[in-house]
Amino acid sequence: MSRVSFSDIKKMYGDVLAVEDVNIEIKDGEFVSLLGPSGSGKSTVLRMIAGLEDISSGEIKIGDRVINDIHPRDRGIAMVFQNYALYPHMTVRDNLSYGLKLTTDLSKDEVSSRVENAAEMLGIDDHLEKKPAGLSGGQQQRVATGRAIVREPEVFLMDEPLSNLDAKLKMHMRTELQRIHDELETTTVYVTHDQEEAMTMSDRIVILAEGHIQQIGTPDEIYNRPANLFVADFIGSPAMNFFDVRLEGAALVSEDFEYPLSKSTAETVRDSTTTSELTLGIRPEDLNIVDSPGERTIEVTVDVVEPVGSDNYIYAEVAGEEVTVRVPADVKPTVGETISMQFSEDDIHLFDTGTEQNVFAGTEHMASHVAESVS
Ligand code: ADP
């Protein structure tokens, strides 16, 4: 187990800037996901830890050791790839032991014992004599994970390890990997573009966009206190709703509605930004349908009602903008109907429209943020 720290990491591929200003402190035993859209720089960061890419500038440490110039084999890392990269002509047992035999001087008995322990932990001990072609996708994934486990590394590096699995198996393997992490407590850096994976598995998430870190936080912080518009939009499904508003007196005024804020909230907002041009963000589950229009309601026209089992997603329109509302399954407005929506000041997020930075998050979010950091 070891901590991993990044100071001012930058990576250029020729003239192409891949990542810049990467500063992260990953604690001993922590499970940290690198999350972002395709091309945001996640794999580059992981591959620099692994030694598969040179570091253009800055320093990466594992424990107290700067690893920039250390041979990949001597870094104390083990990597699990998306495509498993198993040797097709070898049995599972040989796939698991091959790397150890090649790169360590462990005794035969020690190698067998590690292989058998890992196979048992992963529930593939009955398949040790089979070839990869005779295994299901989930079992192949387990062999790939087992190959990393037998190395007993200081750090696991995982690059989209579940992306080739179907939805059900993916969910199952998510819990498997969490169980393994709980058992081994090995520091893990996990690359994914799947927010659900990152949200359910990680102690903390690093969100990347266009080679820059947008936010580092626990899943709760990222969801409830997104640092900027990118994170607010990227995390959450369906995505957060956004409205262009102006702060006028103590009210948020848009083309289509006016929303009075409490005096204290208006003051807090004014203190944290110089602009009155704001973007109001509200998550679909924080919008409530009410019977009749009134103060603090927004009138919207229903476009689509999409049942998803436990809930309905309502896609509606206000002043040409789409709004998504998440309601219980028994609430089913008619398409074309005008409905009134209400939301609490405690649930709003406000962003400076120019800088895109968060300038206010309602007390609901503050409360859960505090609860998380205390626990
Ligand atoms: P992600 O893993 O988030 O999809 P990558 O780390 O693969 O992102 O890529 C980050 C950026 O670096 C992208 O702009 C990508 O096109 C560029 N890039 C990645 N690998 C190379 C390479 N070998 N040569 C040139 N550019 C690359």
Side-chain angles (χ1 to χ4, degrees), residues 257-275:
F257 63 88
E258 191 168 322
Y259 186 83
L261 294 173
S262 67
K263 236 170 110 186
S264 64
T265 295
E267 266 167 30
T268 309
V269 175
R270 215 165 252 120
D271 286 348
S272 49
T273 177
T274 48
T275 181

Side-chain angles (χ1 to χ4, degrees), residues 4 12 29 40 68 88 99 131 133 141 145-146 151 164 166 182 191 197-198 217 258 300 312 317 354 372:
V4 183
M12 305 284 298
S40 56
N68 290 42
K131 302 259 174 76
Q141 206 289 329
T145 308
R151 304 183 73 94
N164 288 343
D166 65 45
D182 287 347
V191 161
E197 236 168 79
E258 191 168 322
V300 302
N312 288 330
E317 207 176 287
E372 174 74 20

Side-chain angles (χ1 to χ4, degrees), residues 133-358:
L135 302 178
S136 69
Q139 288 164 339
Q140 291 186 28
Q141 206 289 329
R142 286 184 174 87
V143 179
T145 308
R147 217 166 34 177
I149 290 174
V150 295
R151 304 183 73 94
E152 299 186 356
E154 291 181 55
V155 182
F156 281 128
L157 304 176
M158 304 200 178
D159 193 354
E160 307 252 7
L162 306 184
S163 58
N164 288 343
L165 304 178
D166 65 45
K168 198 168 167 202
L169 198 50
K170 203 183 262 191
M171 283 224 312
H172 180 70
M173 287 308 293
R174 271 194 334 226
T175 32
E176 282 278 282
L177 290 180
Q178 277 174 283
R179 182 179 61 75
I180 289 165
H181 181 251
D182 287 347
E183 202 162 316
L184 299 175
E185 295 185 324
T186 307
T187 312
T188 303
V189 188
Y190 187 99
V191 161
T192 181
H193 65 276
D194 181 335
Q195 52 160 303
E196 212 174 290
E197 236 168 79
M199 294 293 276
T200 51
M201 298 176 75
S202 320
D203 295 315
R204 284 189 303 155
I205 301 174
V206 177
I207 301 206
L208 283 157
E210 295 180 3
H212 291 94
I213 293 179
Q214 304 296 309
Q215 186 167 5
I216 303 178
T218 62
D220 178 85
E221 283 163 356
I222 299 266
Y223 190 79
N224 287 306
R225 312 224 349 115
N228 58 33
L229 272 177
F230 176 84
V231 178
D233 191 33
F234 189 66
I235 296 289
S237 178
M240 189 185 277
N241 296 295
F242 297 106
F243 305 95
D244 290 330
V245 294
R246 285 181 63 82
L247 181 63
E248 289 182 11
L252 297 174
V253 180
S254 87
E255 268 184 33
D256 211 58
F257 63 88
E258 191 168 322
Y259 186 83
L261 294 173
S262 67
K263 236 170 110 186
S264 64
T265 295
E267 266 167 30
T268 309
V269 175
R270 215 165 252 120
D271 286 348
S272 49
T273 177
T274 48
T275 181
S276 54
E277 304 294 330
L278 301 172
T279 304
L280 165 66
I282 314 165
R283 294 213 178 269
E285 66 269 27
D286 293 330
L287 285 166
N288 303 304
I289 296 179
V290 291
D291 287 344
S292 52
E295 202 189 32
R296 295 186 162 207
T297 63
I298 301 179
E299 272 49 70
V300 302
T301 312
V302 177
D303 281 337
V304 176
V305 179
E306 187 180 83
V308 290
S310 57
D311 295 315
N312 288 330
Y313 297 157
I314 298 170
Y315 300 96
E317 207 176 287
V318 53
E321 304 244 15
E322 194 177 84
V323 188
T324 313
V325 191
R326 182 173 179 165
V327 293
D330 58 344
V331 180
K332 272 195 193 144
T334 319
V335 171
E337 187 184 349
T338 300
I339 53 173
S340 303
M341 286 179 338
Q342 205 171 41
F343 51 92
S344 157
E345 183 179 288
D346 294 341
D347 289 322
I348 68 176
H349 302 260
L350 288 169
F351 303 88
D352 178 323
T353 304
T355 66
E356 303 197 347
Q357 297 302 305
N358 193 329

Side-chain angles (χ1 to χ4, degrees), residues 12-61:
M12 305 284 298
Y13 291 103
D15 292 341
V16 179
L17 174 70
V19 293
E20 184 175 43
D21 298 329
V22 174
N23 290 288
I24 317 171
E25 290 288 337
I26 299 175
K27 298 184 203 103
D28 207 8
E30 203 175 15
F31 191 118
V32 169
S33 292
L34 306 175
L35 174 68
S38 178
S40 56
K42 311 177 291 289
S43 300
T44 297
V45 172
L46 197 77
R47 292 169 63 83
M48 283 191 286
I49 313 174
L52 300 171
E53 297 292 350
D54 290 337
I55 299 162
S56 304
S57 64
E59 243 178 37
I60 301 181
K61 281 185 182 173

